[in-house]
Amino acid sequence: MSGSPVRILLLLEQYDYRIHRGVAQVAREQGWELVFQNESKLSPRLLEDLEHRQIDGGIVLLQTDEMVNQLEEAGIPLVDLSHRELIRNVTRVVTDNERIGKL
């Protein structure tokens, strides 16, 4: 792939070092530029990047509908890792805790 690297937003409203570490490893392997944010409000710099479409996608652990709305308005494709039911139809990847417990 030539040109600028794919920029992926990792937004964890609830920080989990295991998610951060795993996504960082995949980003390294894929040659992605990882843009990390761990807070409940988007920084002005990140909002500017979103407005100028300098973020290609997001891997998120969202807790608030407000954050979903902001990212959706920016047209950022998302994969959500939370167990929370969101108001939007967002692609989700979650663990099956009940099955894990049985194993």
Side-chain angles (χ1 to χ4, degrees):
M1 182 171 126
S2 62
S4 59
V6 172
R7 293 187 78 211
I8 299 296
L9 169 65
L10 175 59
L11 174 59
L12 305 176
E13 286 190 292
Q14 181 179 349
Y15 184 75
D16 186 319
Y17 74 91
R18 297 163 297 188
I19 293 172
H20 191 173
R21 184 172 51 200
V23 172
Q25 180 179 345
V26 170
R28 240 185 337 272
E29 292 167 1
Q30 297 299 314
W32 298 342
E33 180 182 333
L34 200 58
V35 178
F36 176 70
Q37 179 146 354
N38 178 33
E39 50 190 86
S40 61
K41 294 191 180 197
L42 295 176
S43 71
R45 169 70 184 166
L46 183 54
L47 284 170
E48 185 177 309
D49 282 355
L50 293 174
E51 288 176 13
H52 292 92
R53 295 288 294 147
Q54 294 179 12
I55 302 291
D56 298 299
I59 299 172
V60 298
L61 182 60
L62 298 173
Q63 303 299 315
T64 64
D65 294 333
E66 177 186 348
M67 192 68 72
V68 175
N69 292 337
Q70 287 182 313
L71 294 168
E72 186 178 67
E73 286 174 14
I76 303 300
L78 300 176
V79 174
D80 182 32
L81 305 175
S82 73
H83 285 273
R84 180 178 175 274
E85 291 296 324
L86 298 172
I87 60 172
R88 301 283 193 269
N89 184 20
V90 175
T91 301
R92 295 176 67 213
V93 176
V94 296
T95 57
D96 185 340
N97 292 329
E98 186 175 320
R99 180 148 183 175
I100 291 169
K102 288 178 183 177
L103 290 173

